[in-house]
Amino acid sequence: MGDLALEFCGEWFDPAQAEDGFDVGREGDLAIDDNPYLHRRFLRLTQEDGIWWLANVGSLISATVCDAGGGVQSWLPPGHRLPIVFPTTSIVFTAGPTTYELTAQLTDAPYHEVRSEDPDTGATTIGAISFTTSQKQLIVVLAEPMLRREGTGLSEIPSSADAARRLGWATTRFNRKLDNVCEKLDRIGVKGLRGGPGLLATNRRARLVEYAVASRLVTPADLPLLDLKDDA
């Protein structure tokens, strides 16, 4: 397999230079932020028998890993690893209120993205799930900081109250639609969106943003939806 390069905030790193694995976290080979919610060492890139592996060496945070086209996505929980096999791989994760995105580029990758264009039906469909305009607005408003940012880096996820205010909605309406969106995605197997003990609302919003951005469920082209007003 080919050479791997990792990019964050416009700066490129060569994981092959690290003899015992390339660590990403609050400390390590790529110290991305002094965020106290971020593990000192969260992700580790290693090469074994010509294959590059991405491992989650943290204990609490998961990462969303996706190909450039958004068609293949994996959730990487603590203690697990997966191979880097696409020319461009997006790595998204959240620590506290901040969401981070890194890009890995692999030369001579064994797999390539297959992209297809779906007809515009007026509703966004992923798998067997369709989203109404207002549900799509909810996803876009939460992801807005990431969608407006150029390239990789870090973004703050708005609170439910701030997101509702941005849309001109009552917070109760926003939370109800957030429940509906998360329930729809949970039904098709998207992990980390179900409520319950130990799963705070902040974590659910963060996971929704990670999934939506990495899978290209929302893109910068959807930002004009924030200016629409509806009666639902």
mmCIF file of all heavy atoms in Angstrom, residues 87-106:
data_model
loop_
_atom_site.group_PDB
_atom_site.id
_atom_site.type_symbol
_atom_site.label_atom_id
_atom_site.label_comp_id
_atom_site.label_asym_id
_atom_site.label_seq_id
_atom_site.Cartn_x
_atom_site.Cartn_y
_atom_site.Cartn_z
ATOM 1 N N PRO A 87 -8.443 6.666 -1.159
ATOM 2 C CA PRO A 87 -7.498 7.754 -1.445
ATOM 3 C C PRO A 87 -7.637 8.924 -0.477
ATOM 4 O O PRO A 87 -6.647 9.521 -0.067
ATOM 5 C CB PRO A 87 -7.860 8.169 -2.876
ATOM 6 C CG PRO A 87 -8.503 6.965 -3.476
ATOM 7 C CD PRO A 87 -9.245 6.307 -2.351
ATOM 8 N N THR A 88 -8.881 9.251 -0.116
ATOM 9 C CA THR A 88 -9.133 10.333 0.835
ATOM 10 C C THR A 88 -10.114 9.843 1.888
ATOM 11 O O THR A 88 -11.176 9.315 1.549
ATOM 12 C CB THR A 88 -9.705 11.578 0.139
ATOM 13 O OG1 THR A 88 -8.785 12.023 -0.867
ATOM 14 C CG2 THR A 88 -9.928 12.703 1.138
ATOM 15 N N THR A 89 -9.748 10.005 3.138
ATOM 16 C CA THR A 89 -10.592 9.574 4.248
ATOM 17 C C THR A 89 -10.802 10.741 5.199
ATOM 18 O O THR A 89 -9.848 11.418 5.591
ATOM 19 C CB THR A 89 -9.945 8.406 5.015
ATOM 20 O OG1 THR A 89 -9.777 7.297 4.125
ATOM 21 C CG2 THR A 89 -10.807 7.974 6.191
ATOM 22 N N SER A 90 -12.052 10.981 5.559
ATOM 23 C CA SER A 90 -12.396 12.030 6.516
ATOM 24 C C SER A 90 -12.546 11.411 7.901
ATOM 25 O O SER A 90 -13.193 10.369 8.057
ATOM 26 C CB SER A 90 -13.701 12.712 6.097
ATOM 27 O OG SER A 90 -14.110 13.653 7.059
ATOM 28 N N ILE A 91 -11.946 12.049 8.901
ATOM 29 C CA ILE A 91 -12.008 11.578 10.287
ATOM 30 C C ILE A 91 -12.607 12.705 11.125
ATOM 31 O O ILE A 91 -12.023 13.787 11.224
ATOM 32 C CB ILE A 91 -10.611 11.209 10.809
ATOM 33 C CG1 ILE A 91 -9.952 10.173 9.888
ATOM 34 C CG2 ILE A 91 -10.685 10.693 12.242
ATOM 35 C CD1 ILE A 91 -8.458 10.017 10.105
ATOM 36 N N VAL A 92 -13.780 12.460 11.705
ATOM 37 C CA VAL A 92 -14.504 13.490 12.451
ATOM 38 C C VAL A 92 -14.787 12.979 13.859
ATOM 39 O O VAL A 92 -15.198 11.829 14.038
ATOM 40 C CB VAL A 92 -15.834 13.852 11.750
ATOM 41 C CG1 VAL A 92 -16.524 15.007 12.472
ATOM 42 C CG2 VAL A 92 -15.598 14.213 10.286
ATOM 43 N N PHE A 93 -14.570 13.832 14.856
ATOM 44 C CA PHE A 93 -14.867 13.442 16.235
ATOM 45 C C PHE A 93 -15.157 14.687 17.057
ATOM 46 O O PHE A 93 -14.819 15.812 16.665
ATOM 47 C CB PHE A 93 -13.710 12.642 16.847
ATOM 48 C CG PHE A 93 -12.381 13.330 16.795
ATOM 49 C CD1 PHE A 93 -11.943 14.136 17.833
ATOM 50 C CD2 PHE A 93 -11.557 13.168 15.693
ATOM 51 C CE1 PHE A 93 -10.714 14.773 17.782
ATOM 52 C CE2 PHE A 93 -10.315 13.804 15.626
ATOM 53 C CZ PHE A 93 -9.896 14.601 16.670
ATOM 54 N N THR A 94 -15.788 14.470 18.201
ATOM 55 C CA THR A 94 -16.199 15.569 19.070
ATOM 56 C C THR A 94 -15.678 15.341 20.478
ATOM 57 O O THR A 94 -15.779 14.236 21.014
ATOM 58 C CB THR A 94 -17.733 15.692 19.097
ATOM 59 O OG1 THR A 94 -18.208 15.925 17.767
ATOM 60 C CG2 THR A 94 -18.171 16.842 19.991
ATOM 61 N N ALA A 95 -15.130 16.397 21.070
ATOM 62 C CA ALA A 95 -14.683 16.368 22.462
ATOM 63 C C ALA A 95 -15.283 17.580 23.158
ATOM 64 O O ALA A 95 -14.957 18.716 22.814
ATOM 65 C CB ALA A 95 -13.160 16.398 22.546
ATOM 66 N N GLY A 96 -16.199 17.337 24.097
ATOM 67 C CA GLY A 96 -16.905 18.451 24.718
ATOM 68 C C GLY A 96 -17.744 19.167 23.677
ATOM 69 O O GLY A 96 -18.440 18.537 22.885
ATOM 70 N N PRO A 97 -17.674 20.499 23.618
ATOM 71 C CA PRO A 97 -18.493 21.247 22.664
ATOM 72 C C PRO A 97 -17.845 21.419 21.293
ATOM 73 O O PRO A 97 -18.413 22.068 20.420
ATOM 74 C CB PRO A 97 -18.636 22.611 23.348
ATOM 75 C CG PRO A 97 -17.338 22.778 24.072
ATOM 76 C CD PRO A 97 -16.952 21.390 24.550
ATOM 77 N N THR A 98 -16.666 20.843 21.091
ATOM 78 C CA THR A 98 -15.902 21.105 19.871
ATOM 79 C C THR A 98 -15.825 19.869 18.987
ATOM 80 O O THR A 98 -15.544 18.770 19.465
ATOM 81 C CB THR A 98 -14.473 21.568 20.217
ATOM 82 O OG1 THR A 98 -14.546 22.679 21.117
ATOM 83 C CG2 THR A 98 -13.721 21.993 18.968
ATOM 84 N N THR A 99 -16.077 20.065 17.695
ATOM 85 C CA THR A 99 -15.971 18.995 16.708
ATOM 86 C C THR A 99 -14.747 19.240 15.834
ATOM 87 O O THR A 99 -14.499 20.362 15.390
ATOM 88 C CB THR A 99 -17.236 18.925 15.836
ATOM 89 O OG1 THR A 99 -18.351 18.593 16.666
ATOM 90 C CG2 THR A 99 -17.106 17.856 14.764
ATOM 91 N N TYR A 100 -13.988 18.187 15.586
ATOM 92 C CA TYR A 100 -12.747 18.268 14.820
ATOM 93 C C TYR A 100 -12.869 17.427 13.552
ATOM 94 O O TYR A 100 -13.552 16.404 13.536
ATOM 95 C CB TYR A 100 -11.567 17.734 15.644
ATOM 96 C CG TYR A 100 -11.370 18.427 16.967
ATOM 97 C CD1 TYR A 100 -12.072 18.020 18.097
ATOM 98 C CD2 TYR A 100 -10.482 19.489 17.092
ATOM 99 C CE1 TYR A 100 -11.899 18.652 19.319
ATOM 100 C CE2 TYR A 100 -10.293 20.127 18.312
ATOM 101 C CZ TYR A 100 -11.005 19.706 19.422
ATOM 102 O OH TYR A 100 -10.834 20.336 20.630
ATOM 103 N N GLU A 101 -12.170 17.858 12.511
ATOM 104 C CA GLU A 101 -12.126 17.081 11.271
ATOM 105 C C GLU A 101 -10.696 17.037 10.750
ATOM 106 O O GLU A 101 -10.022 18.064 10.665
ATOM 107 C CB GLU A 101 -13.046 17.673 10.208
ATOM 108 C CG GLU A 101 -13.070 16.849 8.923
ATOM 109 C CD GLU A 101 -14.025 17.398 7.880
ATOM 110 O OE1 GLU A 101 -14.502 18.539 8.051
ATOM 111 O OE2 GLU A 101 -14.288 16.689 6.893
ATOM 112 N N LEU A 102 -10.235 15.839 10.427
ATOM 113 C CA LEU A 102 -8.929 15.627 9.823
ATOM 114 C C LEU A 102 -9.134 14.899 8.499
ATOM 115 O O LEU A 102 -10.156 14.234 8.292
ATOM 116 C CB LEU A 102 -8.016 14.784 10.719
ATOM 117 C CG LEU A 102 -7.637 15.307 12.106
ATOM 118 C CD1 LEU A 102 -8.705 14.964 13.131
ATOM 119 C CD2 LEU A 102 -6.310 14.708 12.551
ATOM 120 N N THR A 103 -8.151 14.999 7.625
ATOM 121 C CA THR A 103 -8.199 14.293 6.350
ATOM 122 C C THR A 103 -6.940 13.454 6.189
ATOM 123 O O THR A 103 -5.828 13.944 6.417
ATOM 124 C CB THR A 103 -8.307 15.279 5.171
ATOM 125 O OG1 THR A 103 -9.533 16.000 5.273
ATOM 126 C CG2 THR A 103 -8.281 14.535 3.842
ATOM 127 N N ALA A 104 -7.131 12.194 5.815
ATOM 128 C CA ALA A 104 -6.010 11.305 5.517
ATOM 129 C C ALA A 104 -5.997 11.033 4.016
ATOM 130 O O ALA A 104 -7.036 10.718 3.434
ATOM 131 C CB ALA A 104 -6.140 9.995 6.290
ATOM 132 N N GLN A 105 -4.837 11.172 3.400
ATOM 133 C CA GLN A 105 -4.700 10.897 1.972
ATOM 134 C C GLN A 105 -3.694 9.771 1.766
ATOM 135 O O GLN A 105 -2.584 9.815 2.304
ATOM 136 C CB GLN A 105 -4.277 12.152 1.212
ATOM 137 C CG GLN A 105 -5.373 13.209 1.158
ATOM 138 C CD GLN A 105 -5.114 14.279 0.120
ATOM 139 O OE1 GLN A 105 -4.022 14.374 -0.430
ATOM 140 N NE2 GLN A 105 -6.122 15.090 -0.149
ATOM 141 N N LEU A 106 -4.119 8.776 0.992
ATOM 142 C CA LEU A 106 -3.320 7.570 0.779
ATOM 143 C C LEU A 106 -3.035 7.394 -0.707
ATOM 144 O O LEU A 106 -3.960 7.358 -1.523
ATOM 145 C CB LEU A 106 -4.076 6.352 1.321
ATOM 146 C CG LEU A 106 -3.404 4.990 1.168
ATOM 147 C CD1 LEU A 106 -2.149 4.913 2.035
ATOM 148 C CD2 LEU A 106 -4.381 3.877 1.539
#
